[in-house]
Amino acid sequence: MWPLYAAGFTTAFGAHGIAANLGGAGKDAVTSLLVLGGLLALYDGAEVLLKPVFGTLADRVGARPVLLGGLVAFAVASALYVLADSPGWLWTARLGQGAAASAFSPAASTLVSRLNPAAKQGRAFGGYGFYKAIGYTLGPLLGGVLVWAGGLRLLFTVLTVLGAAVGVWALAAVPVVPPLPRARQTVLDLARRLADPAFLVPTAALAGATAALSVGVGFLPVSGRAAGLGTVATGAAVSVLAACAAVVQPRTGRALDAGRLTARTGLTAGLLLTAAGLACAMLPGLTGVLLAAALIGVGTGLITPLGFATLASSTPKECLGQTMGAAELGRELGDAGGPLLVAGVAASTTLTHGYATLAVVLACGTVLVGWGLRAGVRAEDAGAA
């Protein structure tokens, strides 16, 4: 499992480590805010388009080859900028990193599920989410140190070594998991499965959690600055958010496996806590920022392992890669949609109203969780009868 956790860390560290430092370090390549936006969008745009494709490929040829190929491609894409060190190659390297992460990220989550029995799915995804959260936390911090010491080229060098090292580790330690026989599937069959509450509900919850996480990381510093707080205080608040999410995820997974927590209860509580955190962001001063960060972190820490474990338990194993790729697409849409929603509302009113709007959306999501998971239980009972 450790190489899979390392793969999760790699995609998170690579995404946030570079994104957080492009504006200040890539002065030759980042000549305007429009260029910066394009560079930031390349990584996420590649993931939105390609994750479902590589997830389906993992079902056809096996998740391990897709994992290894993605890690090798990530190292090669990172090395392109190290060798060329030119603005044009930065665009190519960033696009290549996003495409590579689109391969090894859903493949890793598929293997996390395939290599663990049903009774340990929560613990497995809790650990996987923990190391991804560590990557998100260390990316801006460690990435900033590396850029300060040697510029973007040093950061890309570290990512080259990281991708290659994790790839070698996975080659040596991850067992071969052959693809399972698949029944022929039409586009209509796929549409029905993706519209099923067993897929739709946890994916929507994951998208909501990612939306709130992205809003917290992006907008809580804005609220802090408006309240007169310095960069140290606002940076600490974002670290609190990431730390809470990292600590809660393994505990949530263990509670699910032990039967102390159900998916319905956990997802509902996670959405309500996250909504409460966004409501706290409306309070002025440091207290509001810290409360918001802590509650958003705890809420997203509950939702993430429960969402993936629920998807894994309700998906036929031969379609697991396709499901994980589609779920990752849902998260990417939440990652982009949350900030766009808050920013759009804030542009015509205030940032406080933006927080409130997303909080209401997440609170209403609890109705979807209750209805969807009850519908899934009724369907299982009818099938058993």
Side-chain angles (χ1 to χ4, degrees):
M1 290 298 294
W2 290 108
L4 302 179
Y5 293 162
F9 173 88
T10 300
T11 183
F13 181 80
H16 280 207
I18 295 176
N21 292 285
L22 274 175
K27 295 180 181 178
D28 293 336
V30 182
T31 55
S32 68
L33 290 176
L34 182 61
V35 172
L36 176 60
L39 282 169
L40 293 175
L42 271 179
Y43 194 99
D44 292 331
E47 289 190 310
V48 166
L49 293 174
L50 296 177
K51 275 186 173 180
V53 175
F54 283 116
T56 302
L57 182 64
D59 290 332
R60 294 184 180 278
V61 304
R64 185 173 181 268
V66 177
L67 172 76
L68 297 175
L71 289 167
V72 170
F74 186 86
V76 170
S78 302
L80 286 176
Y81 183 74
V82 176
L83 297 174
D85 192 19
S86 67
W89 282 104
L90 178 60
W91 289 81
T92 304
R94 196 63 178 152
L95 179 61
Q97 285 181 330
S102 302
F104 71 78
S105 183
S109 58
T110 298
L111 286 165
V112 167
S113 180
R114 289 285 305 274
L115 294 175
N116 286 276
K120 293 185 178 180
Q121 293 286 304
R123 185 188 302 265
F125 280 107
Y128 183 68
F130 171 81
Y131 286 100
K132 286 194 77 169
I134 294 298
Y136 288 132
T137 304
L138 290 182
L141 298 175
L142 183 55
V145 172
L146 291 170
V147 168
W148 171 80
L152 276 178
R153 198 172 187 181
L154 178 58
L155 177 54
F156 273 88
T157 300
V158 171
L159 291 173
T160 301
V161 174
L162 179 62
V166 175
V168 171
W169 191 8
L171 178 64
V174 175
V176 175
V177 181
L180 297 172
R182 297 180 56 185
R184 185 173 180 178
Q185 177 180 255
T186 65
V187 174
L188 182 59
D189 293 331
L190 174 61
R192 286 172 178 166
R193 187 159 58 81
L194 297 185
D196 190 281
F199 172 83
L200 191 60
V201 171
T203 301
L206 287 167
T210 309
L213 186 64
S214 184
V215 166
V217 171
F219 288 97
L220 285 181
V222 177
S223 297
R225 286 194 297 271
L229 303 176
T231 55
V232 174
T234 55
V238 173
S239 296
V240 167
L241 190 158
C244 288
V247 169
V248 167
Q249 291 193 55
R251 297 173 183 270
T252 300
R254 289 193 293 268
L256 177 67
D257 292 340
R260 299 192 304 271
L261 182 68
T262 65
R264 179 183 169 190
T265 301
L267 291 175
T268 300
L271 287 169
L272 290 175
L273 283 170
T274 306
L278 291 165
C280 287
M282 301 164 62
L283 301 175
L286 180 61
T287 300
V289 172
L290 287 177
L291 281 174
L295 288 173
I296 292 173
V298 172
T300 56
L302 275 169
I303 293 168
T304 302
L306 291 176
F308 279 114
T310 302
L311 286 169
S313 64
S314 62
T315 301
K317 295 299 183 184
E318 65 273 14
C319 298
L320 197 55
Q322 187 178 65
T323 295
M324 291 302 176
E328 291 278 4
L329 170 60
R331 293 188 76 196
E332 295 296 334
L333 293 175
D335 193 19
L340 286 175
L341 173 64
V342 171
V345 174
S348 57
T349 55
T350 65
L351 182 55
T352 298
H353 288 87
Y355 289 138
T357 301
L358 184 56
V360 170
V361 170
L362 295 180
C364 292
T366 59
V367 178
L368 176 65
V369 169
W371 165 79
L373 294 187
R374 277 200 303 269
V377 170
R378 287 198 298 270
E380 290 179 2
D381 291 344

